[in-house]
């Protein structure tokens, strides 16, 4: 039974909502996994250990449905651990074939942690699998059903030899530990994951319907705006390779399709930010493209669209909201006051760490003064 485009897009949106529930500050990552899957591209997640990278991918894969493969690579990981062991029965006949059941070549969503630590043999085989969805090893040749591979690393590689492989991950997101003011949300959300109700699951058929709509999308109207955005990035010293510039059109089309639109517009240009290779360059891209990105919106991928289009401004708005809530909920009990003061100090630290004094957004200027005044008052009260 076929699924209409509208129903398929709604089903995927519902699955993403459930997948991101309880994941604090990882909503954009969940949404980018789905965006990449619809676009037929791959996602690289860069961030320190323990920042819920694998949990976010697992929950998204469960929501999207299909076969899932996950592995932590190391210097001594053997190709057979990723692609499957050699078939010993065929080997006796002189054929080197691989038993791929349950391994990466048969996965529809894959997560490879510490992806740059793989050996040359693993990375070379992965290149063909990521680029062409084809697995070649010995006498084995097979087409792979892979929709998206998510690679994770603590940092971008310095080795030029890994540059070609890293470039196969079109979309990139950089994650940091959850900031101090949201630690209560982190603890509450993490605890909720232990007894989480069964999430809604989108069928692969629905995902394919949305992906097909993205492939058929007419980019003619938005292409001049995308070209101008690329010129703006070049003028700012941010050069995307021709391959990345061409492929980002897939992300734009996928963003529109997930939002239920068959024709991409200026509102769907925000994925361009995630195609920029480094964290620093992404921050600069948000700044120089702020005019064109001001129109960004996406019902299915709100967190990813907001983070791409606003960046520091969105963070400033969240800090301001948290700070004002704290100031308005000042307790009177001694123990509660101590806990409240620690939260307020966390807000102050996040402002100071995230923004230079001269670059403090307008939404935070008054808040910073109010927080400093309250903390100074509390300090004098304790001293007395």
């Amino acid at each position: 039974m076929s699924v209409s485009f509208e129903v398929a897009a709604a089903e995927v949106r519902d699955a993403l909502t459930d997948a991101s529930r309880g994941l604090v500050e990882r909503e954009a990552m969940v949404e980018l996994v789905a965006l990449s899957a619809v676009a037929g591209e791959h996602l690289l997640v860069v961030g320190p250990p323990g920042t819920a990278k694998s949990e976010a991918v697992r929950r998204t894969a469960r929501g999207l449905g299909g076969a899932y493969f996950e592995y932590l690579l190391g210097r001594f990981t053997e190709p057979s651990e990723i692609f499957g062991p050699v078939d010993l029965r065929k080997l006796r006949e002189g054929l080197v074939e691989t038993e791929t059941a349950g391994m990466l070549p048969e996965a529809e969503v894959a997560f490879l942690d510490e992806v740059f630590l793989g050996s040359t043999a693993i990375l070379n085989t992965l290149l063909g699998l990521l680029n062409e969805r084809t697995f070649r090893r010995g006498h084995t040749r097979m087409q792979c059903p892979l929709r998206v591979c998510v690679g994770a690393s603590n940092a971008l590689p310095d080795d030029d030899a890994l540059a070609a492989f890293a470039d196969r991950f079109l979309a990139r997101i950089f994650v940091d530990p959850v900031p101090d003011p949201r630690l209560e949300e982190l603890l509450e959300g993490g605890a909720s994951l232990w007894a989480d109700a069964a999430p809604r699951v989108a069928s692969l058929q629905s995902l394919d319907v949305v992906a097909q709509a993205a492939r058929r999308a007419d980019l003619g109207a938005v292409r001049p705006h995308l070209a101008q955005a690329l010129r703006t990035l070049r003028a700012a010293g941010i050069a995307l390779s021709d391959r990345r510039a061409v492929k980002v059109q897939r992300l734009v089309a996928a963003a529109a399709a997930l939002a239920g639109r068959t024709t991409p517009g200026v509102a769907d240009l925000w994925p361009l930010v995630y195609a920029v290779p480094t964290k620093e360059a992404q921050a600069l891209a948000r700044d120089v493209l702020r005019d064109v990105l001001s129109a960004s919106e996406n019902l299915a991928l709100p967190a990813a669209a907001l983070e791409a289009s606003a960046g520091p401004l969105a963070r400033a708005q969240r800090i301001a909201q948290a700070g004002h809530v704290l100031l308005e909920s000042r307790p009177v009990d001694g123990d509660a006051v101590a806990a409240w003061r620690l939260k307020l100090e966390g807000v102050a630290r996040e402002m100071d760490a995230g923004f230079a004094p001269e670059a403090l957004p307008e939404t935070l200027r008054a808040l910073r003064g109010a927080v400093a005044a309250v903390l100074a008052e509390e300090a004098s009260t304790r001293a007395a």
Side-chain angles (χ1 to χ4, degrees), residues 116-315:
F116 299 120
L117 294 183
S119 65
T120 301
I122 289 176
L123 297 185
N124 285 343
T125 304
L126 277 174
L127 272 176
L129 202 154
L130 298 183
N131 283 348
E132 306 160 19
R133 303 304 198 277
T134 302
F135 173 62
R136 301 183 184 89
R137 187 179 176 212
H139 293 91
T140 302
R141 299 288 188 277
M142 63 178 288
Q143 289 298 120
C144 302
L146 186 66
R147 266 72 169 181
V148 58
C149 177
V150 181
S153 177
N154 296 337
L156 291 174
D158 295 325
D159 189 351
D160 291 340
L162 292 171
F165 177 72
D167 198 53
R168 267 45 181 188
F169 294 89
L170 176 62
R172 298 184 178 185
I173 184 170
F174 299 85
V175 298
D176 295 307
V178 173
D180 288 358
R182 304 197 71 186
L183 285 176
E184 286 80 6
E185 293 177 62
L186 171 67
L187 297 175
E188 182 181 354
S192 71
L193 297 179
W194 301 338
D196 206 4
R200 286 171 286 188
V201 177
S203 66
L204 283 177
Q205 182 184 11
S206 293
L207 190 69
D208 290 341
V209 167
V210 178
Q212 187 177 40
R215 287 193 295 271
R216 292 178 175 175
D218 182 5
L219 289 154
V222 76
R223 194 167 283 132
H225 299 283
L226 177 58
Q228 184 56 38
L230 289 168
R231 292 188 192 99
T232 302
L233 290 179
R234 286 184 176 183
I238 305 171
L240 271 65
S241 67
D242 290 349
R243 175 170 56 200
R244 297 182 80 81
V246 169
K247 283 193 168 189
V248 78
Q249 295 177 104
R250 297 184 182 181
L251 296 178
V252 171
L258 282 163
R261 295 187 283 269
T262 55
T263 303
V266 177
D268 304 304
L269 287 177
W270 55 267
L272 174 59
V273 172
Y274 293 110
V276 174
T278 69
K279 184 177 184 179
E280 295 75 18
Q282 284 188 3
L284 179 58
R286 291 185 184 97
D287 184 44
V288 300
L289 295 177
R290 59 184 176 275
D291 290 338
V292 69
L293 293 176
S294 63
S296 300
E297 60 89 15
N298 195 292
L299 178 64
L301 313 170
L306 182 61
E307 185 171 317
S309 60
L313 178 59
R315 189 180 185 192

